[in-house]
Amino acid sequence: MTAIQERITDEENARLRLAELEALDEKRLESQQSLECYQARLSRAFNKRVRPRSFQVRDQVLVVRRPIITSHKPVGKFTSKWDGPYVVQEAYSSGAYKLVDADGMRISPINGKFLKKYYP
């Protein structure tokens, strides 16, 4: 009679395990949905603050100064963080721009996030 009781408990055990697995799948789905909602909220909040920067050919822009060695700070705290003005010579679809200074020297393509419009 103990073998029958063990079989019944094994069957009940299997049913309980299946029920737990189904509950686990539901919890996974709920957490996935809440994660997607959170990411959408975060994305909306970030996109509110982002200002798209696009420049046309012949626009005048300033370029942020980027030291070669980032551990060294600029000479003084009152030095400008921007170089320029430069003129946009070419605009690429990837958001990069080829610039020319007043002397006609070309600057290698630079990402638009390092530029800002120059107002003379």
Side-chain angles (χ1 to χ4, degrees), residues 7-80:
R7 185 181 304 154
I8 292 172
T9 57
D10 287 343
E11 290 173 2
E12 288 175 4
N13 219 0
R15 277 191 227 121
L16 288 174
R17 284 185 182 172
L18 282 174
E20 285 178 354
L21 285 175
E22 289 173 359
L24 185 63
D25 286 340
E26 289 175 10
K27 284 193 176 232
R28 281 184 186 155
L29 183 62
E30 288 174 11
S31 64
Q32 179 68 30
Q33 289 173 342
S34 68
L35 178 66
E36 288 173 0
C37 288
Y38 171 73
Q39 287 176 340
R41 269 194 330 242
L42 213 61
S43 174
R44 267 183 274 137
F46 177 79
N47 290 336
K48 279 182 190 177
R49 307 286 277 165
V50 172
R51 283 186 275 151
R53 295 183 182 182
S54 61
F55 305 102
Q56 306 297 323
V57 175
R58 288 180 270 141
D59 279 352
Q60 288 187 329
V61 295
L62 297 175
V63 178
V64 70
R65 280 192 186 167
R66 294 178 295 164
I68 294 173
I69 302 171
T70 56
S71 62
H72 295 337
K73 294 198 178 203
V75 176
K77 68 181 190 179
F78 295 114
T79 58
S80 176

